[in-house]
Amino acid sequence: MKKYAIAIHGGAGTLSRTLMDSNKEQMYRQGLEQAIQSGIRILENEGTALDAVEAAVAALEDNPLFNAGRGSVFTHKGEHEMDACIMSGIDLAAGAVCGVRQIKNPIKLARCVMEKSEHVLLAASGAEVFAQVHQIETMPEAYFHDALRYEQWQQIKNSTQTALDHNLPSEKKFGTVGAVALDVTGNLAAATSTGGMTNKQFGRVGDTPIPGCGTYANNHTCAVSCTGHGEYFIKATAAYDVSALMEYKIISLQDAAELVIHQKLMSIGGEGGMIAIDKFGNICMPFNSEGMYRASYSPEEGLRCAIY
């Protein structure tokens, strides 16, 4: 049987067991499992890694539990500005959008940029015009209004403070979502999507839509999707660094990813995690925060889902 595998994440941070009741935990686990099943169905029917990561991320975008798509946090203006990126390991093709509003599934728009334009990254109103041209589905502002996200914003909206998926004062969660996959033809792909920081201003953009920082895929090495304090992942070019360590230092995926997360990022104050898969189907999901919503699947190891 030809090998295939997939992993997804729904954000990392200070996910305390004491703040997570059993019902809430079950809802997150169900959300992760439903999303990864969207990708598994494609891969087991010999579909492409690109289709699998897009489907998994779109499912997470549709779930208001996660800070992407429908569950995106509020900006300082009380709006929603979303970022997304998708990348193919075959030829390093990539598409990304940042600061887009009212796009139901930003990851689908990112793929459209990759396949139907000569560009990699489109921003804000320009990306929205491109979405209209290509009939990408939009939704009214009310669709993105989640009561929990609104309450998070209310707590800090009158300040210049930003919060990483701010929840309770003692809880910190980086609410990016992402997926990486290997298909039966040996191709890798990665996809990442986020609503960014609560109360963000000035058109702030994190690592998610920047290939090599929050998202990367290369058939010669690996596919990576990151979640965390985006500024640090940008400084470290974290996703590409995993690939570079594998290619130039000739070390394993596990060693490369852990070096980036536990040494390079932490040395500059960076917090978060990543999911990564190599060309052999090996998966690793390191994080230096208290927890990370994550799930993985391969026919050999079955479905695994974890939070802490």
Side-chain angles (χ1 to χ4, degrees), residues 28-30 32-33 285 293-296 303-307:
Y28 275 105
R29 289 181 179 273
Q30 287 178 347
L32 289 168
E33 290 179 9
M285 299 184 283
Y293 297 110
R294 62 200 186 277
S296 65
L303 179 62
R304 297 181 178 184
C305 183
I307 296 176

Side-chain angles (χ1 to χ4, degrees), residues 66-81:
F66 302 99
N67 176 19
R70 189 175 190 180
S72 293
V73 297
F74 286 81
T75 68
H76 187 67
K77 292 182 178 180
E79 300 169 345
H80 308 276
E81 295 176 357

Side-chain angles (χ1 to χ4, degrees), residues 1 43 62 65-66 69 103 113 129 173 209 215 224 232 240 245:
M1 181 175 62
L43 294 172
D62 291 341
L65 287 174
F66 302 99
I103 303 298
V113 171
V129 171
K173 183 166 77 67
T215 311
V224 181
Y232 295 96
Y240 172 71
L245 285 164

Side-chain angles (χ1 to χ4, degrees), residues 229-243:
H229 195 147
E231 280 70 11
Y232 295 96
F233 282 75
I234 293 172
K235 294 174 184 179
T237 54
Y240 172 71
D241 204 21
V242 175
S243 174

Side-chain angles (χ1 to χ4, degrees), residues 73-116:
V73 297
F74 286 81
T75 68
H76 187 67
K77 292 182 178 180
E79 300 169 345
H80 308 276
E81 295 176 357
M82 298 168 285
D83 310 330
C85 180
I86 192 167
M87 187 165 182
S88 169
I90 301 172
D91 54 2
L92 307 185
V97 294
C98 63
V100 297
R101 298 179 55 206
Q102 295 187 255
I103 303 298
K104 182 175 184 290
N105 293 109
I107 198 63
K108 294 183 179 181
L109 178 54
R111 182 156 183 190
C112 187
V113 171
M114 181 181 74
E115 295 182 338
K116 297 182 180 180

Side-chain angles (χ1 to χ4, degrees), residues 239-252:
Y240 172 71
D241 204 21
V242 175
S243 174
L245 285 164
M246 293 176 67
E247 183 174 2
Y248 302 126
K249 202 173 181 181
I250 319 299
I251 61 177
S252 69

